[in-house]
């Protein structure tokens, strides 16, 4: 909500992707007709208005059943101090002009908005719990995780090893410049013996009204660039990354790596090398596993897949990596031959069909190439 009229505007409304963490696996609230759970957030500081509406509700006295206490379920995840009255919320909205982003400005960029017919400016900040008011703001911000990340959990903000990176949109209201929350990322700095750290991306969310505009890539690249300048950082990883995050990371890392000398077309065609691993880690804080994916994507770009020899060479190169788990199964099978009785061995062999392995390997390869092509298409448009 930026203006009072946004309270009635369906265009500013968005729905949760998940509600199982609040309402159980069935995502059901029992005992209501026409139930609406309404959460309004002021765009910048995220002050909250919470209301429940319904047309009817089961009555314990007459229906002998009790409706779910929806209010208490929501209050478990939103911090105290929220409004329940629209007038109170609108009076807070008038003070929004005083809200300023927290922490240190890292990056400013703009995105052209077709609807508005102009470029809109965005800024990325790094904050921590010593910033006045940030602790309370973060409590309100993290409530979005419950609705948009399937396995979300709230973090221990008293642990000083957390870093917070925030994206804001700059907008004008009555001649003043205001800021709207776009999204954020939390990063935990793990200790690596003897004197390094390994930042691990924990949670990342771009709010639905801003998705598909490139903010996730801007945020991830800014975070990488922030850590790249630190001699104590070994490399950057992610905790249990989603499929979408992996695609985003592929794009950002390829964009960062494509100009390194070790990824020149000539060197790509010679195969994956230790030089690539070293340079990507030292200059860009990228680990070996991610560097290998970057190599495969950039080698695909340098390969003429219409040329039988080049195409075969690329396919074999990627499949050599993909076959790792299958080779492990074969080693296990060799052990079984030494240990199991013939009838037990036959049972195990039935589970490890070689033809099936080849089919799965080819399927994995084709899926990977499809994903890689999408990264290269996005890169060509960037």
């Amino acid at each position: 909500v930026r203006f009072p009229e946004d309270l009635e505007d369906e265009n500013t409304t968005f729905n949760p992707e998940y509600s199982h963490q609040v309402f159980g696996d069935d995502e059901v609230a029992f005992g209501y007709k026409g139930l609406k759970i309404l959460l309004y957030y002021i765009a910048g500081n995220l002050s909250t208005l919470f209301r429940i509406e319904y047309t009817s509700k089961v009555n314990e006295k007459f229906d002998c059943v009790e409706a779910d206490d929806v209010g208490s379920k929501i209050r478990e995840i939103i911090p105290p101090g929220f409004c329940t009255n629209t007038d109170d919320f609108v009076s807070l909205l008038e003070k929004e002009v005083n809200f300023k982003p927290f922490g240190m400005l890292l990056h400013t960029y703009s995105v052209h908005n077709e609807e508005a017919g102009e470029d809109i400016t965005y800024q990325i900040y790094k904050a921590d719990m010593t910033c006045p008011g940030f602790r309370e703001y973060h409590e309100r911000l993290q409530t979005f995780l419950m609705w948009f990340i399937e396995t979300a959990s709230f973090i221990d903000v008293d642990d000083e090893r957390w870093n917070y990176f925030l994206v804001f949109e700059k907008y004008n209201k009555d001649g003043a410049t205001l800021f709207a929350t776009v999204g954020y990322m939390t990063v935990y700095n793990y200790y690596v013996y003897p004197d390094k750290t390994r930042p691990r991306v924990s949670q990342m969310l771009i709010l639905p009204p801003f998705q598909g505009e490139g903010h996730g890539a801007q945020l991830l690249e800014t975070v990488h660039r922030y850590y790249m300048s630190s001699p104590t950082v070994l490399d950057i990883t992610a905790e249990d990354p989603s499929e979408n995050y992996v695609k985003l990371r592929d794009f950002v890392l390829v964009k960062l790596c494509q100009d390194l000398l070790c990824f020149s077309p000539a060197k790509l065609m010679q195969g994956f090398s230790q030089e690539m691993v070293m340079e990507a880690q030292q200059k860009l804080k990228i680990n070996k596993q991610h560097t290998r994916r970057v190599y495969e994507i950039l080698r695909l770009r340098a390969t003429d897949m219409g040329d039988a020899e080049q195409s075969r060479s690329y396919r074999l190169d990627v499949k050599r990596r993909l076959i790792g788990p299958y080779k492990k199964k074969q080693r296990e099978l060799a052990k079984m031959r030494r240990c199991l009785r013939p009838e037990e061995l036959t049972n195990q062999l039935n589970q490890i069909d070689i033809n099936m392995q080849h089919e799965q390997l080819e399927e994995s390869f084709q899926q990977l190439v499809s994903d890689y092509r999408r990264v290269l298409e996005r890169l060509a448009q960037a």
Side-chain angles (χ1 to χ4, degrees), residues 40-193:
Y40 301 88
Y41 291 83
I42 291 177
N45 72 12
L46 303 179
S47 294
T48 312
L49 166 64
F50 169 43
R51 289 210 318 253
I52 295 174
E53 295 174 2
Y54 50 86
T55 50
S56 63
K57 177 180 174 181
V58 297
N59 187 311
E60 193 176 357
K61 194 191 275 185
F62 297 109
D63 300 323
C64 303
V65 288
E66 195 176 348
D68 289 346
D69 186 352
V70 169
S72 69
K73 287 177 187 286
I74 300 292
R75 283 192 292 273
E76 280 177 22
I77 65 161
I78 61 172
F82 57 85
C83 302
T84 53
N85 172 303
T86 304
D87 292 340
D88 292 344
F89 185 72
V90 170
S91 68
L92 285 177
L93 186 58
E94 288 163 7
K95 298 173 187 168
E96 177 73 347
V97 69
N98 301 318
F99 173 77
K100 295 289 177 281
F102 303 93
M104 171 176 70
L105 175 62
L106 296 180
H107 179 51
T108 300
Y109 63 99
S110 61
V111 174
H112 185 72
N113 184 289
E114 292 291 338
E115 207 176 305
E118 61 181 1
D119 288 350
I120 295 176
T121 301
Y122 298 87
Q123 294 185 324
I124 298 174
Y125 288 77
K126 177 188 172 287
D128 58 48
M129 288 298 155
T130 63
C131 302
F134 180 65
R135 182 181 289 262
E136 294 76 16
Y137 166 84
H138 177 263
E139 280 188 356
R140 298 189 289 273
L141 176 60
Q142 69 178 353
T143 61
F144 286 105
L145 298 177
M146 288 297 165
W147 309 113
F148 295 101
I149 293 181
E150 193 172 4
T151 56
S153 58
F154 292 164
I155 62 176
D156 175 11
V157 295
D158 292 319
D159 188 333
E160 293 176 357
R161 285 177 289 187
W162 284 106
N163 284 340
Y164 308 84
F165 298 88
L166 309 152
V167 188
F168 293 96
E169 177 195 330
K170 289 174 82 171
Y171 70 99
N172 293 315
K173 181 179 176 183
D174 303 327
T177 299
L178 279 76
F179 293 86
T181 301
V182 170
Y184 82 120
M185 178 193 284
T186 55
V187 180
Y188 192 77
N189 295 292
Y190 279 90
Y191 168 68
V192 180
Y193 181 84

Side-chain angles (χ1 to χ4, degrees), residues 76-348:
E76 280 177 22
I77 65 161
I78 61 172
F82 57 85
C83 302
T84 53
N85 172 303
T86 304
D87 292 340
D88 292 344
F89 185 72
V90 170
S91 68
L92 285 177
L93 186 58
E94 288 163 7
K95 298 173 187 168
E96 177 73 347
V97 69
N98 301 318
F99 173 77
K100 295 289 177 281
F102 303 93
M104 171 176 70
L105 175 62
L106 296 180
H107 179 51
T108 300
Y109 63 99
S110 61
V111 174
H112 185 72
N113 184 289
E114 292 291 338
E115 207 176 305
E118 61 181 1
D119 288 350
I120 295 176
T121 301
Y122 298 87
Q123 294 185 324
I124 298 174
Y125 288 77
K126 177 188 172 287
D128 58 48
M129 288 298 155
T130 63
C131 302
F134 180 65
R135 182 181 289 262
E136 294 76 16
Y137 166 84
H138 177 263
E139 280 188 356
R140 298 189 289 273
L141 176 60
Q142 69 178 353
T143 61
F144 286 105
L145 298 177
M146 288 297 165
W147 309 113
F148 295 101
I149 293 181
E150 193 172 4
T151 56
S153 58
F154 292 164
I155 62 176
D156 175 11
V157 295
D158 292 319
D159 188 333
E160 293 176 357
R161 285 177 289 187
W162 284 106
N163 284 340
Y164 308 84
F165 298 88
L166 309 152
V167 188
F168 293 96
E169 177 195 330
K170 289 174 82 171
Y171 70 99
N172 293 315
K173 181 179 176 183
D174 303 327
T177 299
L178 279 76
F179 293 86
T181 301
V182 170
Y184 82 120
M185 178 193 284
T186 55
V187 180
Y188 192 77
N189 295 292
Y190 279 90
Y191 168 68
V192 180
Y193 181 84
D195 58 353
K196 302 277 187 191
T197 58
R198 174 172 277 137
R200 180 189 285 179
V201 176
S202 173
Q203 289 163 327
M204 177 181 184
L205 176 66
I206 301 298
L207 295 176
F210 304 97
Q211 288 174 6
E213 296 177 354
H215 301 295
Q218 289 280 356
L219 178 56
L220 186 57
E221 184 174 342
T222 299
V223 169
H224 256 273
R225 290 192 184 281
Y226 171 77
Y227 288 117
M228 270 156 49
S229 61
S230 172
T232 61
V233 169
L234 186 67
D235 53 35
I236 302 163
T237 62
E239 177 188 326
D240 192 19
S242 68
E243 202 175 302
N244 284 337
Y245 180 83
V246 170
K247 288 174 183 173
L248 176 69
R249 181 175 64 198
D250 283 344
F251 168 71
V252 169
L253 298 190
V254 168
K255 186 171 176 242
L256 289 170
C257 286
Q258 62 181 346
D259 296 325
L260 293 180
L261 287 174
C262 63
F263 288 105
S264 67
K267 294 202 172 177
L268 287 165
M269 300 312 274
Q270 291 168 18
F272 188 55
S273 68
Q274 188 59 27
E275 183 192 358
M276 292 171 183
V277 176
M278 296 288 286
E279 195 169 356
Q281 184 165 41
Q282 287 169 3
K283 292 184 178 175
L284 303 174
K285 312 297 183 186
I286 301 172
N287 68 23
K288 183 177 180 177
Q289 183 187 354
H290 300 159
T291 303
R292 172 72 202 203
R293 278 182 75 91
V294 167
Y295 153 76
E296 289 177 5
I297 294 167
L298 288 174
R299 176 153 178 192
L300 177 63
R301 186 170 71 176
T303 300
D304 177 3
M305 293 299 275
D307 179 298
E309 186 50 45
Q310 285 191 36
S311 172
R312 180 176 175 277
S313 175
Y314 180 74
R315 191 170 65 253
L316 290 174
D317 190 37
V318 174
K319 283 188 175 181
R320 265 195 296 272
R321 175 180 67 80
L322 292 176
I323 208 165
Y326 299 105
K327 282 191 172 172
K328 188 181 173 194
K329 275 187 183 176
Q330 284 164 353
R331 285 196 297 273
E332 287 168 358
L333 192 56
K335 281 182 194 169
M336 286 177 199
R337 283 202 173 95
R338 292 195 296 270
C339 306
L340 297 179
R341 293 196 302 272
E343 63 272 20
E344 291 174 320
L345 184 60
T346 305
N347 185 36
Q348 289 295 329

